[in-house]
Amino acid sequence: MSSTFTSAPPSPDDPRVPLGPRNGSAVFLVSLAGLMLANLAPLIMSVFEQIGFDVVASGNILTWGLFTSAIIGLATSRAAAGARRRTIAVSGLGIATIAFLVAALVTGPTALIVVSFLIGSAGLGTAVSTSGAAIAALRNPNRVSASSGVVNRLLVMVVLAVIPILGLAQTTVFGSLALLSLISLAVTIWLPSTPETSTTEVLAETKAEAKHSSSRSRSPRAVILAGIGVLIVFPLWGTSEDSVWTLAPTLGDAVGMSDQTLGFALSAAAGIGAGAMLAVTLLGSRIGRALPLGIALALGGAIKIWIGVETDPAMLATLIIAVNTLYAFAFTLFIATAAGLDARGTWSGPLVGAYIVGSSFAPIIGAWIIDGVGIPNFGLIMGTVSFVLIIPTVLIARVSTRVEKTLNSLDQTTEIHERTP
């Protein structure tokens, strides 16, 4: 697919392309690379402890790695929605490959390992922005984002299973990050090209053409406001969700939950969450976004409040599974919402980076709240966040869905014109 840009005026046509094996492989693998740092967080902390850091220092290094990745993702998101998408991905993943390889092989000093890890984390930030922007260039954002999530979880399960078999060590953990960066680098050539015109330009022309007709479409101003809104709402929601997830051991200890029960709950939550993403993959755009997101946030908010007051270990484990299943479902639809707003990835590009900034501090925020006001109030606060965000989320999702319907109608109109003698 050519990435050449011309100066031709925008035409009222759907700028997105269908999901295929090549562009799908590229988007899914680059997305996996961008998120693998967070997925391997427990193993990364273990490695830093092995090489001489205490648990607090290891946590701080990991936090700064995630934060660096998120900041680079945000800084490159605008360019990732432009003509240099592949260049940015290649540069960042190339740096990540070399940096993580150094972190995997160097025996000392430890400062060099930490610096290499942070540089590699910064390189992965470009994978966050370019994969997020590229998702928007594919049709049916619900199905694409959900498929990416399913692939992500399945491959993470494989990686997490293989590394302990090979041996939990500096070479295997950082080496796996280097290998994934290299594989993702190899497929960047298949990343979807950035459309020549933005969705807001297409909508503006469509609106002008339909000025005297009864057809309805979202105005560019509504799309921009919705885009800004999703960049605010998604990180706030994600911080409340990740606070519950990362402090699950603390919540479990408070009610006497065993390590085995906690481990089962976290594992089941990951597996069933993948099932929720698979359901979105199969249903695609038929389920919409506004109503499912509203229901997921309402149920999630109620369960988080319930978690704060639950005293039975078995029931708490069930609630942890339920809230994280809803999280996986809603996470997928949030990504689809941002992708649906602009085919160039103006909003989906920075979305995950913004999310990671919030989630990086989720453990600190959650621990501070529990220490200050107790677990019941922690659950109440986290649940309230979900309830407060329902209305803006639904409004944003409605704009996104309307934009996608407009683009779909343009595509159908083009097909009819092409078939007309």
Side-chain angles (χ1 to χ4, degrees):
M1 186 180 300
S2 174
S3 59
T4 303
F5 280 67
T6 68
S7 58
S11 59
D13 193 11
D14 187 349
R16 304 166 302 169
V17 297
L19 174 65
R22 289 189 175 185
N23 58 28
S25 298
V27 170
F28 298 163
L29 283 172
V30 175
S31 176
L32 177 64
L35 296 173
M36 187 54 77
L37 204 64
N39 290 322
L40 293 184
L43 304 187
I44 292 171
M45 285 193 62
S46 297
V47 167
F48 279 121
E49 290 178 40
Q50 286 180 9
I51 62 178
F53 294 97
D54 60 30
V55 65
V56 175
S58 299
N60 287 336
I61 295 170
L62 176 60
T63 296
W64 280 109
L66 289 169
F67 187 72
T68 301
S69 178
I71 292 300
I72 295 299
L74 288 172
T76 58
S77 61
R78 183 170 182 177
R84 297 188 298 275
R85 175 178 297 165
R86 294 192 185 100
T87 303
I88 294 168
V90 168
S91 301
L93 288 169
I95 290 172
T97 300
I98 296 171
F100 285 129
L101 190 60
V102 172
L105 299 178
V106 70
T107 56
T110 54
L112 179 58
I113 300 175
V114 174
V115 171
S116 298
F117 170 75
L118 294 177
I119 293 174
S121 301
L124 290 184
T126 64
V128 172
S129 61
T130 54
S131 63
I135 283 179
L138 302 173
R139 293 176 188 168
N140 200 331
N142 282 25
R143 181 163 292 158
V144 174
S145 61
S147 298
S148 178
V150 171
V151 171
N152 183 297
R153 290 197 171 221
L154 291 178
L155 292 180
V156 166
M157 288 172 63
V158 172
V159 173
L160 291 176
V162 170
I163 288 179
I165 294 174
L166 297 176
L168 181 57
Q170 177 183 341
T171 53
T172 55
V173 173
F174 295 142
S176 64
L177 287 169
L179 179 60
L180 178 60
S181 299
L182 181 62
I183 294 173
S184 301
L185 174 63
V187 298
T188 53
I189 192 172
W190 293 338
L191 281 172
S193 298
T194 305
E196 296 182 10
T197 57
S198 69
T199 300
T200 51
E201 291 173 322
V202 173
L203 293 178
E205 182 155 331
T206 304
K207 190 176 182 65
E209 291 184 356
K211 187 175 181 180
H212 301 294
S213 70
S214 59
S215 61
R216 298 174 62 192
S217 65
R218 292 285 90 181
S219 69
R221 178 180 174 83
V223 175
I224 293 172
L225 291 176
I228 295 172
V230 77
L231 292 180
I232 297 172
V233 168
F234 187 52
L236 289 175
W237 170 81
T239 301
S240 73
E241 295 289 327
D242 284 339
S243 293
V244 175
W245 175 257
T246 57
L247 292 172
T250 301
L251 301 173
D253 287 341
V255 299
M257 183 185 296
S258 67
D259 292 339
Q260 292 77 10
T261 301
L262 177 63
F264 169 79
L266 297 180
S267 177
I272 299 175
M277 290 180 170
L278 182 60
V280 179
T281 300
L282 297 175
L283 293 172
S285 58
R286 285 176 290 177
I287 64 172
R289 296 184 194 118
L291 182 59
L293 271 172
I295 294 173
L297 264 63
L299 290 176
I303 293 174
K304 282 186 280 188
I305 293 173
W306 190 352
I307 285 175
V309 297
E310 183 56 55
T311 58
D312 179 68
M315 190 64 204
L316 179 61
T318 302
L319 294 175
I320 289 174
I321 294 171
V323 77
N324 283 287
T325 299
L326 290 167
Y327 160 82
F329 178 81
F331 186 96
T332 297
L333 291 180
F334 266 115
I335 299 294
T337 296
L341 289 171
D342 187 9
R344 290 171 65 91
T346 302
W347 309 111
S348 58
L351 190 68
V352 175
Y355 173 90
I356 295 176
V357 169
S359 65
S360 298
F361 296 97
I364 299 173
I365 294 172
W368 177 76
I369 293 175
I370 289 178
D371 184 61
V373 297
I375 289 177
N377 286 321
F378 164 78
L380 178 62
I381 292 171
M382 296 301 126
T384 301
V385 170
S386 291
F387 285 119
V388 169
L389 296 178
I390 289 176
I391 292 178
T393 297
V394 169
L395 292 176
I396 293 167
R398 288 182 64 185
V399 174
S400 175
T401 303
R402 184 66 59 81
V403 168
E404 185 181 3
K405 288 181 178 178
T406 301
L407 294 179
N408 289 341
S409 66
L410 292 175
D411 189 56
Q412 292 167 4
T413 301
T414 300
E415 290 181 0
I416 292 173
H417 288 167
E418 289 176 349
R419 293 173 185 171
T420 301

